[in-house]
Amino acid sequence: MKKKINIIHFIYILVFLFGLLPVASIYLQPRIEMASIDKQLEAGNEPTAKDQIKSLLQQNISDKKKWEIIQKYMIDGDLAHRFDVYIGPSITTWPNPDNPNVFTAEEAIPYLEEYIEDGPVDGYMQSAAKQLAIYYQQQGNSEKADQILVKASVRAISFSEDYYVTEIFIKRVQLALETNNFSKAESIIEELKEQAKQNNTTNADLQTIIPLLEIEKLLHEGKFIQAHEKLNQDVVTLKKQWNEENEKYREMAEQAGQQPPEDLQFENGVFASELLSIKHQLEQAIKLRNTNLASIEGRITKSNGMPMSGVGVFLRDEASVNMSVGRDERHQTLTDENGFYQMTGVIPGKYQIHLGLTQAQVDGWAWAMPKDQWIDITGDRKITYNIKFNPLIEIHEPVNYKEIRSKEVHFKWEKVSDADYYDLNLCLEFDNGSTCSSVETNIKQNEFTIPFEELYDKKTGIMFSGDGSQIETVEPGSLLGFANSNGEFSWYVRAYDKDDSVITQSNGYTLNKRLLDKAPIFYLKERELTKADQLLLERKIPEAFELYKQTVKENPNDTHSQRMVTRLSEFVKDIEGK
């Protein structure tokens, strides 16, 4: 029996469906397009992704989605979160590999200004204001930089967002000190004090921030003794206030019949730790009878003479060089259009320069690092420290996932002028990272051949991933090393001059080696995995260990099993020792 659809009902359905179209275009379509943008970025197609983002922002989308797009693809705020890679003599980090910097500072300006003007008053608005202020400061327009921050602070004040207000005031003071505008810095600090009075705040962080800013001002003015005296007085006062506040909260909790709050130490506060770090540096300088403050400046250029503008420069002391760059770095700045940077108020001590760069800035280039990577600042002088980037070494073989089945591996690369020798490094590649080790150094030619058996003997770093015990989280392929015929390997070389300083290297600073024109990835297929190897790769380490030992007992000439017994014995011993 056929059923007839009432024509009126049919019209209602059509009207309903057509009514959904605007909703889909405003809410659903942007989600689909953002997923497409993320795929383009993951594949390294940044120009395509950028065009898609611009097109999406021109469409009829909701304000909420528009702000979300600007947040995700344009706002990076502090210098500690702005760059794709942070390079230093002691550490290299990639803080946000999934969202590379696709927009230039100039391209992002109108969107950031719109967010500050009309966007939600949140951490992103604060970050957008800082980002724009840093840009205008770099362009030499410090007045415009301060105007941007003032506008953002006015909005934050109107919404009673005290935390954002304080953060913006801190940035205003920092930018004023960068240009040695000490009267401006003092005026802003007084504004912050007044703001605190109006809000009748007892915020412990703010009570510490204000003295910290005042001390920074004294240091930038070169007033070492005054800064040290004030710092000692402030620490005593702040500790007393901190303890009094703690005691007050404990009494209130006891009166209310509640568990008293944990007795937190003054030293554990973020800004307090900064204050105490400066105190320690000043005291160390006094011990060395070196109470004069210094400045450091220089240019960052490529070997072809091109200045590298917009590079993040961080001067870091001995206590921080092995940690990731943080938002509260005491000395941080950007290079100007001539690649020039400058920092003042530097306390005597040993420092290293670390750099923040986008992939566009550093792609195809490597930092030529001197052998002595420490800068010894003795005070009361101006230090010049220039940095040069050289083109990467082009690699020839093995590349692009080559499977090697012979008895040896032959490595070859471009010859570097002025190179006295090279070192060769091999890496084990895993889903969660890689571990690299030096295979040979002091190589005089631009090629090197290594027999498989010799390569199998090379020790590598041991990788761990996930939660659990070391035996549960160890990456078994890192125990098998280069003898893993199912493994994936990569390589790179460095060129050194006669003074043992790095001239350049073959590996750049991209996290995804697969995006390179010549991927330095290869496979070692000379040997077959044994049953014990397979057990090891299945994370059955005790069973694999026993089988390796049994094999050695049956065949004392089995060099692979002997090697693995030694490695696993050391691994187990190390675990038991810990």
Side-chain angles (χ1 to χ4, degrees):
M1 186 174 101
K2 293 182 179 179
K3 293 184 178 179
K4 293 183 179 180
I5 299 177
N6 187 303
I7 189 68
I8 298 297
H9 291 166
F10 182 70
I11 291 171
Y12 284 158
I13 291 171
L14 286 177
V15 170
F16 175 74
L17 291 174
F18 277 114
L20 286 178
L21 289 177
V23 176
S25 68
I26 293 174
Y27 296 102
L28 184 58
Q29 185 62 25
R31 291 184 179 277
I32 296 171
E33 292 199 33
M34 285 180 74
S36 173
I37 290 166
D38 290 340
K39 285 184 178 179
Q40 294 291 348
L41 289 174
E42 188 177 339
N45 301 325
E46 294 183 8
T48 303
K50 185 188 293 186
D51 290 341
Q52 285 183 281
I53 294 168
K54 289 179 179 178
S55 174
L56 185 55
L57 286 169
Q58 291 171 358
Q59 296 174 23
N60 182 27
I61 59 175
S62 67
D63 284 346
K64 182 179 178 181
K65 184 56 62 177
K66 176 174 66 175
W67 305 135
E68 182 183 335
I69 293 167
I70 295 173
Q71 290 168 4
K72 185 170 185 179
Y73 301 113
M74 297 182 193
I75 297 178
D76 44 42
D78 294 296
L79 297 186
H81 304 101
R82 172 167 303 186
F83 299 99
D84 300 321
V85 61
Y86 291 83
I87 309 166
S90 308
I91 187 173
T92 297
T93 57
W94 294 264
N96 193 20
D98 295 328
N99 285 320
N101 232 316
V102 294
F103 286 88
T104 66
E106 290 79 6
E107 289 169 336
I109 286 174
Y111 303 102
L112 299 180
E113 288 180 340
E114 184 179 7
Y115 200 103
I116 295 166
E117 192 75 41
D118 301 315
V121 177
D122 54 14
Y124 287 107
M125 185 208 72
Q126 171 206 210
S127 294
K130 289 182 180 180
Q131 188 174 329
L132 265 184
I134 291 170
Y135 168 77
Y136 285 120
Q137 182 93 337
Q138 181 201 12
Q139 299 299 310
N141 193 344
S142 55
E143 185 177 345
K144 177 72 172 176
D146 193 56
Q147 288 173 357
I148 291 289
L149 292 171
V150 169
K151 181 182 289 187
S153 67
V154 168
R155 286 199 71 205
I157 290 169
S158 67
F159 281 83
S160 300
E161 294 287 358
D162 295 341
Y163 172 78
Y164 301 139
V165 174
T166 302
E167 286 290 306
I168 293 167
F169 268 85
I170 292 172
K171 179 54 68 175
R172 290 183 66 199
V173 173
Q174 290 171 344
L175 294 184
L177 292 177
E178 273 188 25
T179 55
N180 294 327
N181 193 339
F182 304 125
S183 60
K184 177 81 171 180
E186 185 172 355
S187 173
I188 297 168
I189 293 171
E190 291 303 317
E191 281 185 63
L192 185 57
K193 288 180 180 178
E194 188 60 34
Q195 190 66 38
K197 285 180 183 177
Q198 289 178 8
N199 295 335
N200 194 27
T201 183
T202 56
N203 183 299
D205 278 344
L206 187 54
Q207 289 176 352
T208 311
I209 287 166
I210 290 172
L212 179 60
L213 293 175
E214 290 174 330
I215 287 161
E216 284 288 5
K217 173 178 167 290
L218 288 172
L219 290 173
H220 277 78
E221 290 176 308
K223 298 177 180 178
F224 185 105
I225 301 301
Q226 293 96 317
H228 183 243
E229 290 174 352
K230 177 173 172 49
L231 185 50
N232 285 332
Q233 294 169 3
D234 287 340
V235 168
V236 171
T237 303
L238 289 168
K239 278 186 176 180
K240 182 180 178 183
Q241 290 175 345
W242 180 279
N243 292 332
E244 288 173 353
E245 287 295 319
N246 264 354
E247 186 60 33
K248 183 174 71 175
Y249 286 125
R250 292 180 70 85
E251 289 176 0
M252 289 171 62
E254 289 172 0
Q255 290 173 4
Q258 299 172 348
Q259 179 71 24
E262 184 182 352
D263 190 14
L264 297 175
Q265 299 299 309
F266 168 76
E267 292 81 0
N268 294 335
V270 175
F271 297 104
S273 64
E274 283 187 58
L275 204 63
L276 293 173
S277 175
I278 294 173
K279 184 175 185 290
H280 174 72
Q281 285 183 282
L282 293 176
E283 288 169 351
Q284 288 297 109
I286 290 171
K287 283 182 182 178
L288 296 172
R289 297 182 179 180
N290 197 343
T291 58
N292 294 313
L293 298 167
S295 66
I296 182 169
E297 63 182 39
R299 289 187 74 221
I300 302 178
T301 59
K302 293 179 177 177
S303 58
N304 59 10
M306 181 182 296
M308 297 179 67
S309 65
V311 174
V313 185
F314 306 86
L315 184 65
R316 315 188 74 201
D317 63 21
E318 291 178 282
S320 60
V321 293
N322 292 314
M323 296 185 287
S324 300
V325 169
R327 60 185 293 273
D328 298 317
E329 299 285 335
R330 183 165 178 263
H331 296 290
Q332 55 177 297
T333 189
L334 281 175
T335 56
D336 65 16
E337 60 184 7
N338 297 311
F340 179 79
Y341 72 91
Q342 183 183 48
M343 299 174 190
T344 59
V346 182
I347 300 169
K350 284 186 175 292
Y351 294 85
Q352 285 182 0
I353 290 282
H354 288 224
L355 304 177
L357 301 117
T358 65
Q359 285 298 339
Q361 288 172 320
V362 77
D363 196 24
W365 299 84
W367 181 355
M369 287 190 185
K371 180 183 178 181
D372 184 6
Q373 298 147 354
W374 289 99
I375 304 170
D376 191 6
I377 294 179
T378 56
D380 193 27
R381 64 192 182 104
K382 183 184 290 185
I383 294 173
T384 300
Y385 191 84
N386 295 320
I387 293 172
K388 184 174 72 171
F389 278 71
N390 287 324
L392 296 180
I393 300 171
E394 183 180 348
I395 57 173
H396 297 321
E397 61 172 326
V399 295
N400 296 337
Y401 316 100
K402 181 178 180 179
E403 294 187 358
I404 303 170
R405 300 179 184 277
S406 59
K407 294 293 184 181
E408 60 186 23
V409 190
H410 183 66
F411 297 91
K412 190 172 183 179
W413 56 90
E414 170 192 15
K415 188 174 182 178
V416 178
S417 61
D418 299 326
D420 184 59
Y421 66 92
Y422 306 87
D423 69 9
L424 173 64
N425 303 268
L426 300 190
C427 308
L428 280 63
E429 298 291 331
F430 302 103
D431 291 339
N432 62 325
S434 61
T435 176
C436 302
S437 56
S438 176
V439 171
E440 191 70 26
T441 188
N442 203 31
I443 303 171
K444 292 297 184 178
Q445 303 298 321
N446 59 315
E447 56 187 321
F448 185 76
T449 300
I450 182 169
F452 269 41
E453 281 301 322
E454 188 177 329
L455 188 57
Y456 295 155
D457 277 334
K458 298 290 184 182
K459 287 187 177 181
T460 62
I462 299 175
M463 287 277 292
F464 297 88
S465 62
D467 298 322
S469 67
Q470 288 184 314
I471 200 78
E472 293 170 329
T473 60
V474 66
E475 183 61 63
S478 64
L479 292 169
L480 197 52
F482 298 111
N484 181 10
S485 56
N486 284 352
E488 185 174 272
F489 309 98
S490 66
W491 67 285
Y492 66 92
V493 289
R494 285 197 181 103
Y496 294 81
D497 63 19
K498 292 181 180 180
D499 297 323
D500 298 324
S501 294
V502 175
I503 300 173
T504 184
Q505 58 197 44
S506 66
N507 61 325
Y509 305 104
T510 178
L511 191 59
N512 191 347
K513 299 179 179 75
R514 298 175 183 277
L515 298 179
L516 300 173
D517 292 335
K518 286 186 177 180
I521 298 173
F522 63 96
Y523 303 98
L524 301 174
K525 297 292 186 180
E526 181 266 346
R527 65 180 297 272
E528 295 288 335
L529 292 175
T530 66
K531 186 174 180 181
D533 294 339
Q534 292 169 348
L535 287 171
L536 179 63
L537 293 175
E538 291 169 5
R539 294 183 181 274
K540 298 176 181 178
I541 296 176
E543 294 93 329
F545 194 11
E546 289 304 315
L547 188 52
Y548 283 128
K549 289 191 287 187
Q550 181 183 332
T551 304
V552 171
K553 187 176 182 180
E554 295 172 356
N555 182 8
N557 295 322
D558 188 329
T559 55
H560 173 68
S561 295
Q562 288 178 344
R563 182 188 303 119
M564 294 310 299
V565 168
T566 302
R567 283 186 189 172
L568 291 178
S569 296
E570 291 174 351
F571 174 64
V572 171
K573 184 179 178 181
D574 187 50
I575 290 175
E576 290 174 348
K578 290 180 179 179

